[in-house]
Amino acid sequence: MSGTSDSLAERYGAPSPARRALVFALAAALILPASAWLLWVTVSHADPAVASQEIGHEIVGDHTATVTARIKYGDGPVAATCTARAIAADKTVVGEIAFQPTPDQAEHTVELATDRRATTVDWLGCTAEGQPRPR
């Protein structure tokens, strides 16, 4: 036998070098913008304007709960809104508060008024202008 690859190329035709170059060019045209977009998303969301973390909560009574949170600002203090919810044993929301923290203190303790006794407090986080997702 002279060569299987020669007979296959004669029978079916050899792949065109121009076609291979076209496939690589199209792949690069798709991968480069997608990579640039991913880099932009990563960098722009890496340092939010405001971020928060619940330190703890306490159920004070049948109609009151408190939550303490640590709030950090990215490049500097911004107007932020933070939200917490009080939840009862049957998983219904029995109280909610949205407040604007003062930038001069890192930890904030807020009191939630509840319709009935809460069993836990859910810290939703803080948002700022241009940051729609609470953190």
Side-chain angles (χ1 to χ4, degrees):
M1 288 186 129
S2 64
T4 308
S5 62
D6 291 337
S7 63
L8 290 176
E10 289 174 8
R11 182 179 289 175
Y12 298 109
S16 168
R19 184 176 180 188
R20 181 176 293 148
L22 179 64
V23 168
F24 283 129
L26 287 176
L30 293 175
I31 291 173
L32 288 176
S35 299
W37 175 80
L38 183 62
L39 179 68
W40 173 76
V41 167
T42 303
V43 170
S44 68
H45 290 287
D47 188 25
V50 63
S52 63
Q53 178 182 8
E54 179 184 349
I55 297 171
H57 63 271
E58 182 180 359
I59 308 305
V60 179
D62 287 340
H63 296 285
T64 308
T66 62
V67 62
T68 303
R70 182 174 293 119
I71 300 169
K72 292 193 277 185
Y73 297 96
D75 293 332
V78 295
T81 302
C82 302
T83 307
R85 288 183 183 154
I87 300 174
D90 61 355
K91 310 292 189 243
T92 58
V93 176
V94 293
E96 182 170 316
I97 188 168
F99 68 97
Q100 294 181 339
T102 56
D104 58 339
Q105 65 185 93
E107 293 183 8
H108 292 75
T109 301
V110 293
E111 187 175 286
L112 288 89
T114 61
D115 297 334
R116 54 190 165 107
R117 186 165 189 84
T119 55
T120 190
V121 175
D122 184 20
W123 178 257
L124 299 178
C126 298
T127 59
E129 184 177 336
Q131 179 184 329
R133 191 180 76 137
R135 292 192 178 210

